[in-house]
Amino acid sequence: PTPTDELVVSGLSVHYGGVRAVSSVSFTVGPGQCVGIIGANGAGKTSTLKALMGLVPRTAERIQFGDHDLTRVKARDVVRHGIGYVPEGRHVFPGLTVEKNLLLGAYVRAWKGETRSTLGEVFELFPVLGEMRHRLAGALSGGQQQMLAVGRALMSKPRLILLDEPSMGLSPKLIEDILAVLQRLSAAGHALLLVEQNAKLTFEATRTCLVMENGEVAMTGTSAELRDDPRVRQIYLGL
Ligand code: ATP
Protein backbone atom coordinates (compact mmCIF):
# COMPACT_ATOMS: atom_id res chain seq x y z
CA PRO A 1 0.00 0.00 0.00
CA THR A 2 1.05 3.55 -0.65
CA PRO A 3 0.71 6.18 2.11
CA THR A 4 -2.18 7.75 0.19
CA ASP A 5 -4.35 4.63 0.61
CA GLU A 6 -6.31 6.07 3.48
CA LEU A 7 -10.10 5.95 3.72
CA VAL A 8 -11.44 9.15 5.27
CA VAL A 9 -15.14 9.23 6.09
CA SER A 10 -16.72 12.26 7.64
CA GLY A 11 -20.33 13.15 8.37
CA LEU A 12 -21.76 10.11 6.61
CA SER A 13 -25.54 9.72 6.91
CA VAL A 14 -28.07 7.32 5.41
CA HIS A 15 -31.85 7.80 5.32
CA TYR A 16 -34.40 5.29 4.09
CA GLY A 17 -37.41 7.47 3.40
CA GLY A 18 -38.10 9.03 6.79
CA VAL A 19 -35.97 6.50 8.70
CA ARG A 20 -32.49 7.64 9.68
CA ALA A 21 -30.27 4.54 9.71
CA VAL A 22 -26.84 6.27 9.95
CA SER A 23 -26.27 9.73 11.50
CA SER A 24 -23.12 11.66 10.71
CA VAL A 25 -20.58 8.89 11.18
CA SER A 26 -16.87 9.73 10.88
CA PHE A 27 -13.79 7.49 10.93
CA THR A 28 -10.61 6.68 9.03
CA VAL A 29 -8.95 3.45 7.94
CA GLY A 30 -5.23 3.85 7.35
CA PRO A 31 -3.24 1.88 4.77
CA GLY A 32 -2.94 -1.75 5.88
CA GLN A 33 -4.96 -1.04 9.03
CA CYS A 34 -7.75 -3.28 10.43
CA VAL A 35 -10.71 -1.37 11.81
CA GLY A 36 -13.84 -2.96 13.29
CA ILE A 37 -17.42 -1.74 13.61
CA ILE A 38 -19.45 -3.61 16.19
CA GLY A 39 -23.05 -3.03 17.21
CA ALA A 40 -26.38 -4.74 17.70
CA ASN A 41 -28.76 -5.77 14.95
CA GLY A 42 -30.12 -2.61 13.31
CA ALA A 43 -27.39 -0.28 14.64
CA GLY A 44 -26.55 0.86 11.11
CA LYS A 45 -23.42 -1.17 10.37
CA THR A 46 -24.58 -2.69 7.08
CA SER A 47 -25.98 0.64 5.93
CA THR A 48 -22.58 2.26 6.61
CA LEU A 49 -20.78 -0.24 4.36
CA LYS A 50 -23.45 -0.03 1.65
CA ALA A 51 -23.18 3.75 1.77
CA LEU A 52 -19.41 3.59 1.26
CA MET A 53 -19.98 1.35 -1.76
CA GLY A 54 -22.58 3.72 -3.19
CA LEU A 55 -25.30 1.07 -2.91
CA VAL A 56 -27.75 3.18 -0.89
CA PRO A 57 -28.49 6.91 -1.09
CA ARG A 58 -26.23 8.77 1.32
CA THR A 59 -24.96 12.19 2.22
CA ALA A 60 -21.46 12.94 3.48
CA GLU A 61 -19.10 15.81 4.06
CA ARG A 62 -16.32 13.62 2.77
CA ILE A 63 -15.71 10.07 1.57
CA GLN A 64 -12.19 9.88 0.25
CA PHE A 65 -9.89 6.96 -0.55
CA GLY A 66 -6.35 8.03 -1.26
CA ASP A 67 -6.60 10.78 -3.87
CA HIS A 68 -10.11 9.83 -4.95
CA ASP A 69 -13.26 11.58 -3.84
CA LEU A 70 -15.91 8.85 -3.57
CA THR A 71 -18.75 11.08 -2.37
CA ARG A 72 -20.64 10.76 -5.65
CA VAL A 73 -19.09 7.61 -7.11
CA LYS A 74 -21.08 4.47 -8.05
CA ALA A 75 -20.30 0.97 -6.76
CA ARG A 76 -18.35 -0.27 -9.80
CA ASP A 77 -16.10 2.78 -9.64
CA VAL A 78 -15.58 2.36 -5.91
CA VAL A 79 -14.31 -1.17 -6.74
CA ARG A 80 -12.12 0.29 -9.51
CA HIS A 81 -10.51 2.63 -7.03
CA GLY A 82 -9.30 -0.35 -4.97
CA ILE A 83 -12.07 -1.08 -2.46
CA GLY A 84 -13.45 -4.63 -2.31
CA TYR A 85 -16.78 -5.59 -0.73
CA VAL A 86 -17.84 -8.87 0.86
CA PRO A 87 -21.59 -8.50 1.45
CA GLU A 88 -23.58 -9.85 4.36
CA GLY A 89 -24.94 -13.30 3.55
CA ARG A 90 -22.10 -13.92 1.05
CA HIS A 91 -24.31 -13.88 -2.09
CA VAL A 92 -22.30 -16.38 -4.09
CA PHE A 93 -23.95 -17.74 -7.27
CA PRO A 94 -24.89 -21.30 -6.25
CA GLY A 95 -25.41 -22.55 -9.82
CA LEU A 96 -21.98 -21.42 -11.03
CA THR A 97 -18.66 -23.13 -10.33
CA VAL A 98 -16.26 -21.80 -7.73
CA GLU A 99 -13.97 -20.59 -10.51
CA LYS A 100 -16.77 -18.76 -12.38
CA ASN A 101 -17.80 -17.06 -9.14
CA LEU A 102 -14.23 -15.87 -8.67
CA LEU A 103 -13.89 -14.67 -12.26
CA LEU A 104 -17.03 -12.56 -11.81
CA GLY A 105 -15.13 -10.67 -9.13
CA ALA A 106 -12.66 -9.51 -11.78
CA TYR A 107 -15.34 -7.85 -13.90
CA VAL A 108 -14.05 -4.32 -13.33
CA ARG A 109 -10.57 -5.17 -14.50
CA ALA A 110 -9.48 -4.40 -18.02
CA TRP A 111 -6.33 -6.54 -18.10
CA LYS A 112 -7.59 -10.06 -18.69
CA GLY A 113 -4.06 -11.50 -18.72
CA GLU A 114 -3.59 -10.69 -15.07
CA THR A 115 -6.87 -12.32 -14.03
CA ARG A 116 -5.34 -15.81 -14.23
CA SER A 117 -2.46 -14.90 -11.95
CA THR A 118 -4.84 -13.28 -9.46
CA LEU A 119 -6.90 -16.49 -9.51
CA GLY A 120 -3.69 -18.34 -8.64
CA GLU A 121 -3.08 -15.96 -5.72
CA VAL A 122 -6.60 -16.59 -4.39
CA PHE A 123 -6.06 -20.37 -4.60
CA GLU A 124 -2.78 -19.93 -2.72
CA LEU A 125 -4.58 -18.04 0.03
CA PHE A 126 -7.51 -20.50 0.09
CA PRO A 127 -6.26 -23.91 -1.11
CA VAL A 128 -9.73 -25.41 -0.56
CA LEU A 129 -11.12 -23.14 -3.31
CA GLY A 130 -8.47 -24.44 -5.70
CA GLU A 131 -9.38 -28.02 -4.87
CA MET A 132 -13.06 -27.28 -5.45
CA ARG A 133 -12.69 -24.90 -8.40
CA HIS A 134 -14.90 -26.99 -10.70
CA ARG A 135 -17.59 -27.70 -8.09
CA LEU A 136 -20.78 -25.66 -7.95
CA ALA A 137 -20.66 -22.95 -5.30
CA GLY A 138 -23.99 -24.19 -3.94
CA ALA A 139 -22.30 -27.47 -2.96
CA LEU A 140 -19.83 -25.70 -0.64
CA SER A 141 -20.27 -25.49 3.13
CA GLY A 142 -21.14 -22.15 4.74
CA GLY A 143 -17.52 -21.55 5.74
CA GLN A 144 -16.27 -22.37 2.26
CA GLN A 145 -18.86 -20.06 0.70
CA GLN A 146 -17.61 -17.29 2.99
CA MET A 147 -14.06 -17.92 1.75
CA LEU A 148 -15.39 -17.82 -1.81
CA ALA A 149 -17.06 -14.47 -1.15
CA VAL A 150 -13.76 -13.12 0.19
CA GLY A 151 -11.86 -14.63 -2.74
CA ARG A 152 -14.26 -13.03 -5.19
CA ALA A 153 -13.62 -9.62 -3.62
CA LEU A 154 -9.87 -10.23 -3.91
CA MET A 155 -10.18 -10.71 -7.67
CA SER A 156 -10.49 -6.94 -8.12
CA LYS A 157 -7.11 -6.51 -6.34
CA PRO A 158 -8.48 -4.31 -3.56
CA ARG A 159 -6.21 -2.43 -1.19
CA LEU A 160 -9.07 -2.04 1.29
CA ILE A 161 -11.71 -4.74 1.87
CA LEU A 162 -15.08 -4.07 3.50
CA LEU A 163 -16.45 -7.22 5.16
CA ASP A 164 -20.03 -7.46 6.39
CA GLU A 165 -20.52 -10.06 9.13
CA PRO A 166 -18.29 -12.80 7.76
CA SER A 167 -18.97 -14.90 10.90
CA MET A 168 -22.74 -14.91 10.40
CA GLY A 169 -24.25 -18.38 10.69
CA LEU A 170 -20.91 -20.11 11.18
CA SER A 171 -19.98 -22.55 13.96
CA PRO A 172 -17.36 -21.55 16.58
CA LYS A 173 -14.80 -23.71 14.77
CA LEU A 174 -15.47 -21.96 11.44
CA ILE A 175 -15.37 -18.57 13.17
CA GLU A 176 -11.80 -19.47 14.16
CA ASP A 177 -11.13 -20.15 10.47
CA ILE A 178 -12.55 -16.72 9.58
CA LEU A 179 -10.21 -15.10 12.10
CA ALA A 180 -7.30 -16.88 10.41
CA VAL A 181 -8.54 -15.62 7.02
CA LEU A 182 -8.68 -12.04 8.30
CA GLN A 183 -5.18 -12.36 9.71
CA ARG A 184 -3.90 -13.70 6.38
CA LEU A 185 -5.51 -10.82 4.47
CA SER A 186 -3.96 -8.35 6.86
CA ALA A 187 -0.54 -10.01 6.62
CA ALA A 188 -0.85 -9.78 2.82
CA GLY A 189 -1.07 -5.98 3.23
CA HIS A 190 -4.81 -5.40 2.78
CA ALA A 191 -6.55 -2.82 4.93
CA LEU A 192 -9.79 -4.19 6.41
CA LEU A 193 -13.01 -2.63 7.60
CA LEU A 194 -14.84 -5.38 9.46
CA VAL A 195 -18.50 -5.09 10.44
CA GLU A 196 -19.59 -7.68 13.00
CA GLN A 197 -22.10 -8.52 15.69
CA ASN A 198 -19.44 -10.88 17.04
CA ALA A 199 -17.44 -8.48 19.22
CA LYS A 200 -15.02 -11.15 20.45
CA LEU A 201 -13.92 -11.99 16.90
CA THR A 202 -13.69 -8.31 15.99
CA PHE A 203 -11.47 -7.44 18.95
CA GLU A 204 -9.14 -10.28 18.00
CA ALA A 205 -9.00 -9.29 14.33
CA THR A 206 -8.60 -5.50 14.61
CA ARG A 207 -6.48 -2.84 16.31
CA THR A 208 -9.15 -0.12 16.40
CA CYS A 209 -12.93 -0.31 16.72
CA LEU A 210 -16.07 1.77 16.59
CA VAL A 211 -19.21 0.85 18.48
CA MET A 212 -22.40 1.83 16.65
CA GLU A 213 -25.68 2.38 18.46
CA ASN A 214 -28.84 3.78 16.81
CA GLY A 215 -26.97 4.87 13.71
CA GLU A 216 -24.31 6.81 15.63
CA VAL A 217 -20.76 6.12 16.71
CA ALA A 218 -21.24 5.59 20.45
CA MET A 219 -17.62 4.72 21.29
CA THR A 220 -14.24 4.44 19.60
CA GLY A 221 -10.93 3.17 20.89
CA THR A 222 -8.30 0.55 20.49
CA SER A 223 -9.72 -2.94 20.43
CA ALA A 224 -7.77 -3.74 23.60
CA GLU A 225 -9.30 -0.76 25.46
CA LEU A 226 -12.82 -1.55 24.31
CA ARG A 227 -12.51 -5.22 25.21
CA ASP A 228 -11.83 -4.17 28.82
CA ASP A 229 -14.53 -1.51 28.99
CA PRO A 230 -17.19 -2.53 31.57
CA ARG A 231 -20.11 -1.42 29.38
CA VAL A 232 -18.75 -3.17 26.29
CA ARG A 233 -18.10 -6.30 28.33
CA GLN A 234 -21.67 -6.34 29.55
CA ILE A 235 -23.53 -5.42 26.36
CA TYR A 236 -21.35 -6.81 23.57
CA LEU A 237 -19.38 -9.61 25.19
CA GLY A 238 -22.12 -10.85 27.53
CA LEU A 239 -19.65 -11.03 30.45
P1 ATP B 1 -27.70 -6.05 10.89
O1 ATP B 1 -26.88 -6.67 11.94
O2 ATP B 1 -29.11 -6.56 10.84
O3 ATP B 1 -27.08 -6.03 9.54
P2 ATP B 1 -27.03 -3.30 11.01
O4 ATP B 1 -26.35 -2.75 12.22
O5 ATP B 1 -26.20 -3.62 9.88
O6 ATP B 1 -27.89 -4.55 11.40
P3 ATP B 1 -28.66 -1.84 9.20
O7 ATP B 1 -29.00 -3.08 8.45
O8 ATP B 1 -27.73 -0.89 8.61
O9 ATP B 1 -28.13 -2.23 10.64
O10 ATP B 1 -30.02 -1.12 9.59
C1 ATP B 1 -30.10 0.13 10.27
C2 ATP B 1 -31.55 0.61 10.33
O11 ATP B 1 -32.02 0.89 9.02
C3 ATP B 1 -32.50 -0.41 10.91
O12 ATP B 1 -33.43 0.28 11.68
C4 ATP B 1 -33.15 -1.03 9.70
O13 ATP B 1 -34.44 -1.48 9.99
C5 ATP B 1 -33.18 0.14 8.72
N1 ATP B 1 -33.09 -0.30 7.31
C6 ATP B 1 -32.09 -1.05 6.77
N2 ATP B 1 -32.29 -1.24 5.45
C7 ATP B 1 -33.44 -0.58 5.14
C8 ATP B 1 -34.19 -0.39 3.94
N3 ATP B 1 -33.76 -0.89 2.76
N4 ATP B 1 -35.32 0.32 4.01
C9 ATP B 1 -35.75 0.85 5.19
N5 ATP B 1 -35.09 0.71 6.35
C10 ATP B 1 -33.97 0.00 6.35
Side-chain angles (χ1 to χ4, degrees):
T2 62
T4 58
D5 278 347
E6 184 178 39
L7 176 71
V8 180
V9 178
S10 115
L12 175 68
S13 299
V14 179
H15 291 83
Y16 299 109
V19 180
R20 192 168 61 177
V22 177
S23 306
S24 199
V25 163
S26 302
F27 60 90
T28 61
V29 183
Q33 220 188 356
C34 297
V35 174
I37 303 180
I38 62 167
N41 206 316
K45 308 178 302 297
T46 295
S47 298
T48 300
L49 291 194
K50 285 186 176 170
L52 294 177
M53 293 306 297
L55 295 170
V56 293
R58 80 279 202 212
T59 58
E61 284 151 25
R62 191 171 169 209
I63 306 174
Q64 189 159 343
F65 184 56
D67 296 332
H68 301 286
D69 177 2
L70 303 184
T71 323
R72 263 167 281 278
V73 166
K74 293 204 167 28
R76 59 183 292 153
D77 293 315
V78 176
V79 174
R80 277 209 180 94
H81 288 314
I83 301 183
Y85 178 51
V86 183
E88 183 175 27
R90 330 200 222 286
H91 296 283
V92 301
F93 296 95
L96 297 181
T97 63
V98 165
E99 186 166 300
K100 286 251 163 63
N101 269 275
L102 289 171
L103 290 172
L104 281 172
Y107 73 100
V108 296
R109 290 174 61 193
W111 331 280
K112 294 289 175 217
E114 240 188 82
T115 304
R116 282 283 143 194
S117 68
T118 310
L119 196 59
E121 289 166 27
V122 170
F123 291 153
E124 237 168 78
L125 200 60
F126 304 116
V128 66
L129 296 182
E131 288 156 25
M132 301 183 111
R133 65 200 287 175
H134 300 305
R135 301 271 290 273
L136 295 182
L140 268 54
S141 71
Q144 290 163 345
Q145 288 189 12
Q146 186 62 63
M147 287 183 203
L148 179 55
V150 173
R152 182 179 55 193
L154 288 172
M155 291 300 294
S156 66
K157 293 229 154 219
R159 300 187 299 284
L160 166 66
I161 308 173
L162 315 183
L163 298 115
D164 196 349
E165 292 211 33
S167 80
M168 192 172 66
L170 301 182
S171 67
K173 159 78 185 72
L174 288 174
I175 290 175
E176 284 298 312
D177 291 349
I178 291 297
L179 178 62
V181 165
L182 297 172
Q183 287 165 340
R184 257 180 280 164
L185 293 175
S186 175
H190 298 283
L192 305 178
L193 179 59
L194 172 66
V195 153
E196 265 294 343
Q197 283 196 46
N198 185 328
K200 184 171 172 284
L201 166 70
T202 309
F203 292 147
E204 284 176 51
T206 61
R207 288 282 293 278
T208 316
C209 272
L210 323 179
V211 181
M212 282 189 76
E213 291 175 357
N214 300 316
E216 294 179 2
V217 177
M219 301 171 83
T220 56
T222 67
S223 306
E225 280 164 7
L226 288 170
R227 181 171 32 205
D228 291 336
D229 182 272
R231 195 166 163 273
V232 170
R233 283 170 63 84
Q234 193 191 346
I235 299 176
Y236 298 101
L237 292 169
L239 297 170

